[in-house]
Amino acid sequence: MISTPRITTALPGPRAAALIARDRRVVSSSYTRSYPLVMARGWGSMVEDVDGNVFLDCAAGIAVNSTGHSHPLVVQAIVDQAHKFLHMSGTDFYYEPQVRLAEMLERITPMSGDVRTFFGNSGTEAIEASIKLARYATGRQNIIAFFGGFHGRTLGSLSLTASKAVQRRGFGPLMPGVYHAFYPDRYRPPLGSTAESCADACIDYIEHQLFTQLVSPDEVAAIVVEPIQGEGGYIVAPEAFLQRLRELTRKHGILLVVDEVQSGMGRSGRMFAIEHTGVEPDVVATAKGIASGMPLGVAMARADIMTWPPGAHASTFGGNPVSCAAAIATIELLQDQLIANATSVGAHLIDGLRAVAEKHPLVGDVRGRGLMIGVELVRDRVTKERATKERDAVVNAAFQRGLLVLGAGKNAVRFSPPLVLTREQADEAVGIFDEALNEVERSV
Ligand SMILES: Cc1ncc(COP(=O)(O)O)c(C=O)c1O
């Protein structure tokens, strides 16, 4: 089991090319494949393709394989549960893995007091549940989300998503009663603010413009926010912003829903990224890393909020016992050492990327927490013109050298590796990224 990349064919290799040709004919054309990776198997932070090429994975299936590919303890938990039973719909019957996982989630969720969990299969379902719960619990209809936010692609969550127009184009009319506010991006401060004042400016906009000109706060059910915007470009909100958002929502009886689908489950160096701020939300939605790759999405809420009656909301597959077993094993691994690893290797990786950034004018900003790191590429450090084509070229050049990364936002590269990444692998990733930047800078 090697732990460094090894590329032995042109990419895509012959087997990969053949499979991609078959895929093109029968699989939905809506998928965004950045480069032609055809996976055969994976271990830890490594991925092997069907032609025997080995890659270092800093994408983790879009921030999902938190414990690495096929961690033996997660696989064991899945196999053990699969031998017992695969499904019995936890919405209509009872089984231990679902209850045990809900008890664990109550302990790890950054909300004091009793917590209840709704089980779905994906991030978007966790958000749909949060939206419905917020409307039901408050008796109010409107929701505030943020520009740059990504919350999923089903019609409710899509109505909150304001990341790329192509994700919404052709699907209207979307859910009414959704308002978008500005996200405090310190690198690109909105509303004429500065890096220091953007948190206040973004809150002031909600309080003094949205609430006075567009929607009365007593008709707002929830504000839904990512503590670190994921698809938007790995943008870390200032702590003061989330703290002021909490004050504002509390003042008006609005629920604060944190979307931790991408930032949750240890990736930021805390179980949930909101913990970096000391803010206690009312609802936490998470998915992706929760079950190491098995489908699971959860909405956790204060028990006094989640009081909807039987039949109000449910999903046949939600809380599938095999996914629950995988989640229990995942959380144990996260608590044992992987969250700590995300903190220490994440700090090492960000230092390495910042050192590389000094050599490359294409890099405008390196930011993140734990192993959730974004590198924003610009054509000019002063004008901050977005280097979108160059970003795509860097992602592809990294792939050609055996490093898997993904884009985020219009012009950032995201590093979201499995949380088992070692310091040596982080160094390897930095080295390849450096070469990829060299190649693209030479060509422009
Ligand atoms: C913050 C956030 N919320 C929600 C979602 C939707 O999750 P899913 O693709 O599992 O539906 C995503 C997916 O990228 C996400 O990053």
Side-chain angles (χ1 to χ4, degrees), residues 346-379:
H348 184 67
L349 179 56
I350 208 166
D351 284 350
L353 291 169
R354 286 198 170 128
V356 162
E358 283 179 15
K359 298 193 284 173
H360 294 282
L362 201 50
V363 177
D365 191 32
V366 180
R367 59 204 173 218
R369 284 195 200 273
L371 284 170
M372 185 166 188
I373 300 172
V375 180
E376 183 159 340
L377 303 189
V378 290
R379 291 196 176 140

Side-chain angles (χ1 to χ4, degrees), residues 62 122-125 127 150-152 226 231 259 261-262 287-288:
I62 327 184
S122 61
T124 199
E125 284 179 70
I127 297 298
F150 185 92
H151 301 286
E226 293 167 85
E231 301 304 298
D259 180 343
V261 168
Q262 191 149 175
K288 286 197 187 281

Side-chain angles (χ1 to χ4, degrees), residues 143-415:
I143 310 275
I144 294 173
F146 292 89
F147 290 117
F150 185 92
H151 301 286
R153 296 166 182 274
T154 49
L155 283 171
S157 67
L158 180 63
S159 311
L160 308 191
T161 291
S163 181
K164 297 193 177 99
V166 66
Q167 294 157 351
R168 298 164 64 101
R169 183 171 177 270
F171 300 119
L174 298 180
M175 189 176 85
V178 177
Y179 298 86
H180 286 96
F182 294 90
Y183 196 78
D185 177 348
R186 277 176 281 206
Y187 184 62
R188 296 178 186 277
L191 298 160
S193 64
T194 63
E196 292 69 39
S197 68
C198 66
D200 285 340
C202 291
I203 296 290
D204 290 347
Y205 174 83
I206 299 174
E207 199 169 10
H208 303 303
Q209 246 175 300
L210 265 190
F211 284 175
T212 58
Q213 295 180 317
L214 281 173
V215 59
S216 176
D218 62 1
E219 290 189 334
V220 176
I223 297 186
V224 181
V225 65
E226 293 167 85
I228 303 174
Q229 275 192 343
E231 301 304 298
Y234 278 30
I235 300 166
V236 184
E239 290 166 30
F241 170 74
L242 292 158
Q243 289 157 354
R244 279 200 66 195
L245 204 56
R246 176 69 282 189
E247 285 163 22
L248 189 68
T249 47
R250 199 164 271 145
K251 179 170 153 199
H252 294 291
I254 298 169
L255 297 182
L256 180 63
V257 178
V258 289
D259 180 343
E260 296 255 14
V261 168
Q262 191 149 175
S263 58
M265 307 318 294
R267 175 152 301 282
S268 75
R270 305 293 281 270
M271 188 62 85
F272 294 99
I274 194 73
E275 291 172 42
H276 293 280
T277 70
V279 163
E280 252 194 59
D282 301 303
V283 180
V284 178
T286 194
K288 286 197 187 281
I290 189 172
S292 294
M294 294 296 288
L296 186 68
V298 297
M300 301 165 280
R302 284 181 9 222
D304 60 322
I305 293 171
M306 197 176 274
T307 58
W308 41 16
H313 195 44
S315 151
T316 301
F317 289 120
N320 169 275
V322 184
S323 293
C324 286
I328 291 165
T330 299
I331 292 169
E332 284 169 353
L333 286 162
L334 293 177
Q335 288 179 318
D336 275 0
Q337 33 165 301
L338 296 187
I339 299 180
N341 194 61
T343 302
S344 65
V345 178
H348 184 67
L349 179 56
I350 208 166
D351 284 350
L353 291 169
R354 286 198 170 128
V356 162
E358 283 179 15
K359 298 193 284 173
H360 294 282
L362 201 50
V363 177
D365 191 32
V366 180
R367 59 204 173 218
R369 284 195 200 273
L371 284 170
M372 185 166 188
I373 300 172
V375 180
E376 183 159 340
L377 303 189
V378 290
R379 291 196 176 140
D380 181 317
R381 282 189 176 168
V382 177
T383 65
K384 299 185 182 175
E385 185 190 347
R386 293 179 192 272
T388 304
K389 278 200 188 115
E390 294 83 344
R391 185 277 309 275
D392 294 346
V394 167
V395 167
N396 197 48
F399 168 67
Q400 295 292 335
R401 289 170 166 74
L403 173 68
L404 306 180
V405 286
L406 285 170
K410 294 192 188 84
N411 56 318
V413 178
R414 77 179 105 176
F415 287 76

